[in-house]
């Protein structure tokens, strides 16, 4: 079956049929507007993201299930980065006429699986035909008490710069998919990566099925220990750069402190130059970068452990406005590329 056989309203009904009732949703999909009930005293956090075929994903790399998950994950990550509790999402789809209905069904299943994992209810959206590829737009709403929301603007000189999880995995997977980098078969990654990639390849999973740090973001915010926070979607340098700009500070980042995953280390061990740029400027990690007092180092590490993830201090906030990366011997590291930026080739 294709989309033409069910039409716009048939498709909306199929999506609506999969959505379970949820606390805080007074009126969900089906009316002119959704009605929701935020918890008393909470402020509303709202964010929106677009995913465009050919820009953010390729249908031959991104299977519909994980594409559905990722479409919501990137938005949930924005709420996590403010320390918010994700609650409601709107899903807008522009779909090519020839897209199989099964693709949309599987996409929706994926979207709703991630929604359930993070306590998000799908409350509406918009559906239309696209003449030029698949376009997904997700708006998310979350909530948090006014005093607990963490902004980009609170970093202070002397704070440590932290990151959750590991950096560079998704960027490495993309390099391998695009054939810009090849690693020997013995490194545990198929050399002809696009064709022989395995569905559960850990690097590829980081790219195709990122895990938003919802619990960690919320717990960090509620602990009162962090001064600024952001999610890393465009690479640590670019995203810490946003913190630096809004906080009117700079930073020093130490390359040997960057947390790298075992699959990352395995895959790059035979490369002539260690690809630090993937961990510093590669996009789509969806980890958290945040700043906190050095005295709170242990409290933060412990807190993150209770969320089941590791976090590492990777640098220090400086008064000087520039951001510098240092190698282990104390020399400046110059990036071969900068983070991803739409419109700039
Ligand atoms: P209107 O014409 O009033 O904008 P629509 O026909 O676009 O209404 O949508 C009808 C209902 O279906 C609304 O509740 C809308 O939020 C919901 N909806 C439309 N598209 C989607 C979608 N892709 N996912 C979830 N809900 C959707
Ligand atoms: Mg509409």
């Amino acid at each position: 079956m294709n989309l033409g056989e069910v039409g716009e309203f048939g498709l909306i009904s199929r999506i609506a049929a999969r959505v379970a009732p949820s606390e805080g949703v007074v009126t969900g999909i089906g009316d002119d507007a959704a009605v929701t009930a935020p918890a008393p005293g909470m402020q509303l956090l709202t964010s929106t993201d677009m995913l465009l075929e050919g820009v953010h994903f390729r249908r031959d790399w991104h299977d519909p299930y994980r594409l559905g998950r990722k479409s919501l994950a990137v938005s949930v990550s924005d709420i996590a980065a403010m320390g918010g509790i994700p609650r409601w999402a709107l899903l807008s789809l522009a779909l090519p006429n020839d897209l199989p209905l099964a693709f949309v069904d599987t996409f929706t299943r994926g979207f709703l699986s991630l929604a359930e994992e993070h306590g998000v209810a799908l409350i509406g959206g918009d559906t239309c035909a696209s003449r030029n590829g698949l376009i997904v737009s997700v708006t998310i709403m979350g909530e948090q008490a006014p005093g607990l929301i963490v902004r980009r603007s609170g970093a202070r000189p002397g704070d440590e710069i932290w990151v959750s999880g590991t950096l560079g995995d998704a960027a490495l997977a993309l390099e391998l998919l695009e054939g810009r980098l090849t690693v020997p078969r013995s490194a545990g990654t198929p050399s002809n990566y696009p064709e022989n990639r395995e569905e559960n390849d850990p690097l590829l999973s980081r790219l195709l099925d990122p895990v938003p740090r919802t619990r960690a973001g919320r717990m960090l915010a509620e602990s009162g220990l962090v001064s600024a926070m952001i999610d890393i979607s465009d690479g640590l340098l670019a995203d810490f750069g946003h913190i630096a700009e809004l906080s009117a500070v700079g930073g020093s980042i130490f390359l040997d402190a960057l947390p790298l995953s075992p699959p990352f280390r395995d895959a790059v061990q035979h490369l002539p130059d260690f690809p630090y740029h993937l961990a510093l400027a590669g996009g789509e990690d969806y980890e958290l970068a945040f700043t906190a007092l050095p005295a709170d180092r242990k409290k933060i590490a412990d807190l993150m452990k209770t969320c089941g993830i590791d976090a590492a201090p990777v640098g220090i906030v400086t008064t000087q406005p520039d951001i510098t990366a240092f190698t282990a011997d104390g020399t400046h590291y110059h990036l071969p590329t900068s983070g991803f930026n739409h419109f700039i080739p």
Side-chain angles (χ1 to χ4, degrees):
M1 269 224 277
N2 59 38
L3 296 179
E5 286 167 70
V6 294
E8 177 189 339
F9 300 111
L11 189 64
I12 295 173
S13 306
R14 289 176 86 89
I15 295 174
R18 293 181 190 274
V19 176
S22 162
E23 205 202 307
V25 181
V26 185
T27 303
I29 296 174
D31 217 312
D32 291 307
V35 183
T36 53
M42 295 295 226
Q43 285 184 335
L44 195 61
L45 301 154
T46 310
S47 172
T48 195
D49 272 293
M50 295 208 290
L51 277 87
L52 279 71
E53 184 172 357
V55 178
H56 300 95
F57 66 90
R58 281 174 49 165
R59 257 189 275 165
D60 55 343
W61 291 348
H62 296 251
D63 59 276
Y65 188 79
R66 289 189 289 186
L67 183 61
R69 289 178 59 83
K70 183 171 179 175
S71 299
L72 181 58
V74 302
S75 291
V76 170
S77 180
D78 282 324
I79 299 295
M82 308 283 289
I85 304 156
R87 299 285 319 259
W88 306 293
L90 296 156
L91 168 63
S92 296
L93 297 168
L95 307 169
N97 271 332
D98 60 358
L99 196 71
L101 186 58
F103 185 100
V104 190
D105 280 341
T106 310
F107 174 95
T108 306
R109 268 201 303 115
F111 185 97
L112 293 174
S113 71
L114 193 119
E116 199 192 330
E117 287 164 22
H118 295 270
V120 174
L122 178 62
I123 57 167
D126 199 18
T127 306
C128 45
S130 166
R131 299 201 180 151
N132 224 322
L134 174 57
I135 299 170
V136 182
S137 167
V138 174
T139 299
I140 191 155
M141 284 168 278
E143 59 186 11
Q144 185 51 282
L148 298 179
I149 296 168
V150 183
R151 294 174 174 76
R152 296 177 176 183
S153 53
R156 302 148 303 198
D159 281 352
E160 283 184 313
I161 304 166
W162 286 75
V163 295
S164 66
T166 59
L167 299 180
D169 297 316
L172 177 58
L174 190 63
E175 291 294 291
L176 294 169
L177 280 175
E178 295 199 327
R180 280 195 296 265
L181 214 116
T182 47
V183 295
R185 193 174 283 274
S186 61
T189 312
S191 53
N192 44 349
Y193 201 72
E195 290 75 27
N196 287 358
R197 65 185 194 261
E198 284 172 23
E199 287 308 303
N200 59 359
D201 176 282
L203 296 173
L204 202 59
S205 297
R206 291 294 310 272
L207 178 69
L208 301 184
D209 195 9
V211 179
R213 301 303 190 186
T214 309
R215 183 143 180 266
R218 178 181 177 177
M219 288 190 65
L220 285 168
E222 293 178 353
S223 75
L225 296 173
V226 295
S227 51
M229 188 153 60
I230 192 167
D231 66 324
I232 307 178
S233 53
D234 298 324
L236 174 62
L237 278 188
D239 289 314
F240 177 73
H242 298 311
I243 287 185
E245 193 183 340
L246 286 175
S247 302
V249 294
S252 300
I253 291 171
F254 307 109
L255 294 185
D256 57 344
L258 295 176
L260 304 171
S261 72
F264 183 99
R265 289 188 189 278
D266 275 358
V268 306
Q269 63 182 331
H270 298 295
L271 295 178
D273 295 307
F274 195 89
Y276 283 117
H277 63 283
L278 296 178
L280 277 178
E284 305 214 272
D285 290 316
Y286 297 104
E287 294 292 354
L288 296 172
F290 53 93
T291 54
L293 288 173
D296 292 328
R297 193 186 261 218
K298 184 164 184 320
K299 282 188 205 154
I300 287 172
D302 291 346
L303 188 75
M304 297 297 270
K305 268 208 194 77
T306 66
C307 302
I309 54 176
D310 289 321
V314 299
I316 194 103
V317 178
T318 58
T319 320
Q320 279 279 88
D322 43 75
I323 298 164
T324 314
F326 290 95
T327 61
D329 60 20
T331 57
H332 284 202
Y333 174 80
H334 294 285
L335 264 195
T337 54
S338 65
F340 184 74
N341 187 329
H342 288 274
F343 307 116
I344 297 177

mmCIF file of all heavy atoms in Angstrom, residues 147-179:
data_model
loop_
_atom_site.group_PDB
_atom_site.id
_atom_site.type_symbol
_atom_site.label_atom_id
_atom_site.label_comp_id
_atom_site.label_asym_id
_atom_site.label_seq_id
_atom_site.Cartn_x
_atom_site.Cartn_y
_atom_site.Cartn_z
ATOM 1 N N GLY A 147 13.522 28.044 38.849
ATOM 2 C CA GLY A 147 14.876 28.181 39.392
ATOM 3 C C GLY A 147 15.837 27.074 38.993
ATOM 4 O O GLY A 147 17.038 27.163 39.269
ATOM 5 N N LEU A 148 15.334 26.034 38.357
ATOM 6 C CA LEU A 148 16.195 24.883 38.065
ATOM 7 C C LEU A 148 16.643 24.809 36.613
ATOM 8 O O LEU A 148 17.542 24.042 36.274
ATOM 9 C CB LEU A 148 15.464 23.580 38.433
ATOM 10 C CG LEU A 148 15.096 23.414 39.915
ATOM 11 C CD1 LEU A 148 14.355 22.108 40.140
ATOM 12 C CD2 LEU A 148 16.346 23.480 40.794
ATOM 13 N N ILE A 149 16.029 25.624 35.756
ATOM 14 C CA ILE A 149 16.371 25.573 34.329
ATOM 15 C C ILE A 149 17.811 26.047 34.123
ATOM 16 O O ILE A 149 18.215 27.067 34.680
ATOM 17 C CB ILE A 149 15.372 26.428 33.522
ATOM 18 C CG1 ILE A 149 13.970 25.818 33.638
ATOM 19 C CG2 ILE A 149 15.807 26.547 32.068
ATOM 20 C CD1 ILE A 149 12.850 26.709 33.146
ATOM 21 N N VAL A 150 18.585 25.274 33.349
ATOM 22 C CA VAL A 150 19.996 25.620 33.136
ATOM 23 C C VAL A 150 20.166 26.209 31.736
ATOM 24 O O VAL A 150 19.782 25.598 30.744
ATOM 25 C CB VAL A 150 20.901 24.378 33.279
ATOM 26 C CG1 VAL A 150 22.371 24.782 33.128
ATOM 27 C CG2 VAL A 150 20.689 23.703 34.626
ATOM 28 N N ARG A 151 20.759 27.386 31.660
ATOM 29 C CA ARG A 151 20.939 28.072 30.376
ATOM 30 C C ARG A 151 22.397 27.988 29.898
ATOM 31 O O ARG A 151 23.261 27.530 30.626
ATOM 32 C CB ARG A 151 20.501 29.522 30.508
ATOM 33 C CG ARG A 151 19.008 29.639 30.767
ATOM 34 C CD ARG A 151 18.572 31.070 31.043
ATOM 35 N NE ARG A 151 17.113 31.130 31.138
ATOM 36 C CZ ARG A 151 16.384 30.731 32.174
ATOM 37 N NH1 ARG A 151 16.983 30.239 33.245
ATOM 38 N NH2 ARG A 151 15.071 30.817 32.165
ATOM 39 N N ARG A 152 22.602 28.481 28.681
ATOM 40 C CA ARG A 152 23.962 28.503 28.144
ATOM 41 C C ARG A 152 24.795 29.619 28.773
ATOM 42 O O ARG A 152 26.013 29.634 28.638
ATOM 43 C CB ARG A 152 23.911 28.740 26.627
ATOM 44 C CG ARG A 152 23.222 27.623 25.868
ATOM 45 C CD ARG A 152 23.129 27.938 24.383
ATOM 46 N NE ARG A 152 22.557 26.818 23.629
ATOM 47 C CZ ARG A 152 22.409 26.794 22.308
ATOM 48 N NH1 ARG A 152 22.795 27.839 21.589
ATOM 49 N NH2 ARG A 152 21.901 25.734 21.708
ATOM 50 N N SER A 153 24.133 30.533 29.435
ATOM 51 C CA SER A 153 24.781 31.796 29.798
ATOM 52 C C SER A 153 25.434 31.827 31.175
ATOM 53 O O SER A 153 25.936 32.867 31.583
ATOM 54 C CB SER A 153 23.739 32.913 29.718
ATOM 55 O OG SER A 153 22.598 32.546 30.489
ATOM 56 N N GLY A 154 25.452 30.706 31.898
ATOM 57 C CA GLY A 154 25.883 30.786 33.302
ATOM 58 C C GLY A 154 27.313 30.379 33.618
ATOM 59 O O GLY A 154 27.709 30.348 34.774
ATOM 60 N N ALA A 155 28.135 30.057 32.585
ATOM 61 C CA ALA A 155 29.493 29.567 32.872
ATOM 62 C C ALA A 155 30.367 30.678 33.446
ATOM 63 O O ALA A 155 30.277 31.830 33.023
ATOM 64 C CB ALA A 155 30.127 29.015 31.598
ATOM 65 N N ARG A 156 31.217 30.321 34.426
ATOM 66 C CA ARG A 156 32.102 31.301 35.070
ATOM 67 C C ARG A 156 33.559 30.861 34.921
ATOM 68 O O ARG A 156 33.840 29.652 34.984
ATOM 69 C CB ARG A 156 31.784 31.402 36.570
ATOM 70 C CG ARG A 156 30.343 31.785 36.879
ATOM 71 C CD ARG A 156 29.852 31.153 38.166
ATOM 72 N NE ARG A 156 29.952 29.690 38.153
ATOM 73 C CZ ARG A 156 29.286 28.887 38.981
ATOM 74 N NH1 ARG A 156 28.498 29.381 39.899
ATOM 75 N NH2 ARG A 156 29.441 27.572 38.905
ATOM 76 N N PRO A 157 34.466 31.833 34.745
ATOM 77 C CA PRO A 157 35.884 31.455 34.662
ATOM 78 C C PRO A 157 36.273 30.617 35.871
ATOM 79 O O PRO A 157 35.844 30.902 36.987
ATOM 80 C CB PRO A 157 36.608 32.811 34.664
ATOM 81 C CG PRO A 157 35.597 33.779 34.117
ATOM 82 C CD PRO A 157 34.256 33.282 34.611
ATOM 83 N N GLY A 158 37.050 29.564 35.628
ATOM 84 C CA GLY A 158 37.445 28.670 36.718
ATOM 85 C C GLY A 158 36.584 27.425 36.803
ATOM 86 O O GLY A 158 36.992 26.421 37.374
ATOM 87 N N ASP A 159 35.376 27.494 36.234
ATOM 88 C CA ASP A 159 34.539 26.281 36.178
ATOM 89 C C ASP A 159 35.241 25.232 35.311
ATOM 90 O O ASP A 159 35.974 25.570 34.389
ATOM 91 C CB ASP A 159 33.188 26.580 35.497
ATOM 92 C CG ASP A 159 32.198 27.279 36.422
ATOM 93 O OD1 ASP A 159 32.489 27.407 37.623
ATOM 94 O OD2 ASP A 159 31.129 27.696 35.910
ATOM 95 N N GLU A 160 34.945 23.982 35.599
ATOM 96 C CA GLU A 160 35.418 22.923 34.704
ATOM 97 C C GLU A 160 34.384 22.682 33.609
ATOM 98 O O GLU A 160 33.181 22.844 33.825
ATOM 99 C CB GLU A 160 35.663 21.631 35.487
ATOM 100 C CG GLU A 160 36.968 21.691 36.268
ATOM 101 C CD GLU A 160 37.274 20.377 36.983
ATOM 102 O OE1 GLU A 160 36.363 19.834 37.635
ATOM 103 O OE2 GLU A 160 38.422 19.929 36.886
ATOM 104 N N ILE A 161 34.874 22.279 32.455
ATOM 105 C CA ILE A 161 34.005 21.922 31.334
ATOM 106 C C ILE A 161 33.880 20.399 31.332
ATOM 107 O O ILE A 161 34.894 19.700 31.335
ATOM 108 C CB ILE A 161 34.615 22.389 29.985
ATOM 109 C CG1 ILE A 161 34.904 23.894 30.019
ATOM 110 C CG2 ILE A 161 33.697 22.016 28.824
ATOM 111 C CD1 ILE A 161 35.812 24.358 28.878
ATOM 112 N N TRP A 162 32.650 19.928 31.349
ATOM 113 C CA TRP A 162 32.400 18.492 31.396
ATOM 114 C C TRP A 162 31.700 18.017 30.123
ATOM 115 O O TRP A 162 30.960 18.783 29.505
ATOM 116 C CB TRP A 162 31.451 18.165 32.541
ATOM 117 C CG TRP A 162 32.032 18.235 33.924
ATOM 118 C CD1 TRP A 162 32.331 19.348 34.639
ATOM 119 C CD2 TRP A 162 32.320 17.108 34.765
ATOM 120 N NE1 TRP A 162 32.791 19.000 35.890
ATOM 121 C CE2 TRP A 162 32.786 17.627 35.993
ATOM 122 C CE3 TRP A 162 32.231 15.720 34.611
ATOM 123 C CZ2 TRP A 162 33.169 16.809 37.059
ATOM 124 C CZ3 TRP A 162 32.598 14.917 35.672
ATOM 125 C CH2 TRP A 162 33.071 15.448 36.873
ATOM 126 N N VAL A 163 31.879 16.751 29.804
ATOM 127 C CA VAL A 163 31.015 16.139 28.792
ATOM 128 C C VAL A 163 30.543 14.774 29.297
ATOM 129 O O VAL A 163 31.252 14.089 30.035
ATOM 130 C CB VAL A 163 31.696 15.966 27.410
ATOM 131 C CG1 VAL A 163 32.017 17.305 26.790
ATOM 132 C CG2 VAL A 163 32.930 15.101 27.499
ATOM 133 N N SER A 164 29.331 14.419 28.893
ATOM 134 C CA SER A 164 28.797 13.092 29.232
ATOM 135 C C SER A 164 29.214 12.099 28.148
ATOM 136 O O SER A 164 29.547 12.492 27.028
ATOM 137 C CB SER A 164 27.271 13.150 29.329
ATOM 138 O OG SER A 164 26.698 13.426 28.065
ATOM 139 N N GLY A 165 29.194 10.821 28.489
ATOM 140 C CA GLY A 165 29.383 9.754 27.503
ATOM 141 C C GLY A 165 30.703 9.844 26.764
ATOM 142 O O GLY A 165 31.737 10.149 27.360
ATOM 143 N N THR A 166 30.666 9.564 25.468
ATOM 144 C CA THR A 166 31.875 9.628 24.640
ATOM 145 C C THR A 166 31.599 10.497 23.421
ATOM 146 O O THR A 166 30.461 10.645 22.995
ATOM 147 C CB THR A 166 32.321 8.227 24.179
ATOM 148 O OG1 THR A 166 31.262 7.614 23.423
ATOM 149 C CG2 THR A 166 32.685 7.340 25.362
ATOM 150 N N LEU A 167 32.671 11.051 22.874
ATOM 151 C CA LEU A 167 32.538 11.975 21.742
ATOM 152 C C LEU A 167 33.104 11.352 20.459
ATOM 153 O O LEU A 167 34.031 10.548 20.511
ATOM 154 C CB LEU A 167 33.303 13.268 22.033
ATOM 155 C CG LEU A 167 32.855 14.083 23.249
ATOM 156 C CD1 LEU A 167 33.723 15.330 23.389
ATOM 157 C CD2 LEU A 167 31.388 14.453 23.133
ATOM 158 N N GLY A 168 32.547 11.748 19.347
ATOM 159 C CA GLY A 168 33.143 11.415 18.053
ATOM 160 C C GLY A 168 32.648 10.143 17.387
ATOM 161 O O GLY A 168 32.960 9.902 16.217
ATOM 162 N N ASP A 169 31.883 9.340 18.104
ATOM 163 C CA ASP A 169 31.444 8.061 17.516
ATOM 164 C C ASP A 169 30.564 8.277 16.278
ATOM 165 O O ASP A 169 30.764 7.639 15.238
ATOM 166 C CB ASP A 169 30.667 7.241 18.550
ATOM 167 C CG ASP A 169 31.523 6.866 19.744
ATOM 168 O OD1 ASP A 169 32.678 6.461 19.545
ATOM 169 O OD2 ASP A 169 31.046 6.998 20.886
ATOM 170 N N ALA A 170 29.586 9.159 16.416
ATOM 171 C CA ALA A 170 28.669 9.389 15.298
ATOM 172 C C ALA A 170 29.405 9.995 14.105
ATOM 173 O O ALA A 170 29.180 9.617 12.953
ATOM 174 C CB ALA A 170 27.530 10.315 15.739
ATOM 175 N N ALA A 171 30.320 10.902 14.405
ATOM 176 C CA ALA A 171 31.077 11.545 13.323
ATOM 177 C C ALA A 171 31.971 10.532 12.611
ATOM 178 O O ALA A 171 32.117 10.566 11.388
ATOM 179 C CB ALA A 171 31.919 12.692 13.878
ATOM 180 N N LEU A 172 32.547 9.615 13.388
ATOM 181 C CA LEU A 172 33.379 8.579 12.768
ATOM 182 C C LEU A 172 32.529 7.672 11.884
ATOM 183 O O LEU A 172 32.924 7.345 10.762
ATOM 184 C CB LEU A 172 34.097 7.768 13.857
ATOM 185 C CG LEU A 172 34.952 6.602 13.377
ATOM 186 C CD1 LEU A 172 36.036 7.059 12.396
ATOM 187 C CD2 LEU A 172 35.604 5.872 14.564
ATOM 188 N N ALA A 173 31.345 7.307 12.376
ATOM 189 C CA ALA A 173 30.452 6.473 11.561
ATOM 190 C C ALA A 173 30.113 7.174 10.247
ATOM 191 O O ALA A 173 30.105 6.549 9.182
ATOM 192 C CB ALA A 173 29.172 6.145 12.331
ATOM 193 N N LEU A 174 29.876 8.468 10.316
ATOM 194 C CA LEU A 174 29.530 9.217 9.102
ATOM 195 C C LEU A 174 30.717 9.272 8.133
ATOM 196 O O LEU A 174 30.547 9.103 6.923
ATOM 197 C CB LEU A 174 29.076 10.634 9.469
ATOM 198 C CG LEU A 174 28.462 11.443 8.338
ATOM 199 C CD1 LEU A 174 27.187 10.785 7.824
ATOM 200 C CD2 LEU A 174 28.152 12.872 8.791
ATOM 201 N N GLU A 175 31.919 9.464 8.670
ATOM 202 C CA GLU A 175 33.122 9.457 7.822
ATOM 203 C C GLU A 175 33.243 8.123 7.094
ATOM 204 O O GLU A 175 33.570 8.064 5.909
ATOM 205 C CB GLU A 175 34.387 9.660 8.672
ATOM 206 C CG GLU A 175 34.538 11.022 9.279
ATOM 207 C CD GLU A 175 34.742 12.111 8.251
ATOM 208 O OE1 GLU A 175 35.806 12.142 7.614
ATOM 209 O OE2 GLU A 175 33.812 12.909 8.077
ATOM 210 N N LEU A 176 32.982 7.039 7.837
ATOM 211 C CA LEU A 176 33.093 5.699 7.252
ATOM 212 C C LEU A 176 32.000 5.478 6.203
ATOM 213 O O LEU A 176 32.261 4.954 5.121
ATOM 214 C CB LEU A 176 33.012 4.636 8.348
ATOM 215 C CG LEU A 176 34.174 4.635 9.349
ATOM 216 C CD1 LEU A 176 33.862 3.741 10.540
ATOM 217 C CD2 LEU A 176 35.469 4.191 8.689
ATOM 218 N N LEU A 177 30.777 5.904 6.522
ATOM 219 C CA LEU A 177 29.665 5.747 5.570
ATOM 220 C C LEU A 177 29.945 6.506 4.289
ATOM 221 O O LEU A 177 29.673 6.029 3.192
ATOM 222 C CB LEU A 177 28.357 6.276 6.177
ATOM 223 C CG LEU A 177 27.604 5.377 7.142
ATOM 224 C CD1 LEU A 177 26.409 6.133 7.714
ATOM 225 C CD2 LEU A 177 27.124 4.109 6.459
ATOM 226 N N GLU A 178 30.474 7.711 4.436
ATOM 227 C CA GLU A 178 30.696 8.552 3.265
ATOM 228 C C GLU A 178 31.983 8.195 2.549
ATOM 229 O O GLU A 178 32.293 8.782 1.515
ATOM 230 C CB GLU A 178 30.668 10.028 3.675
ATOM 231 C CG GLU A 178 29.271 10.406 4.175
ATOM 232 C CD GLU A 178 28.977 11.889 4.188
ATOM 233 O OE1 GLU A 178 29.917 12.666 4.416
ATOM 234 O OE2 GLU A 178 27.804 12.246 3.979
ATOM 235 N N GLY A 179 32.737 7.249 3.109
ATOM 236 C CA GLY A 179 33.946 6.781 2.451
ATOM 237 C C GLY A 179 35.098 7.773 2.526
ATOM 238 O O GLY A 179 36.085 7.643 1.818
#
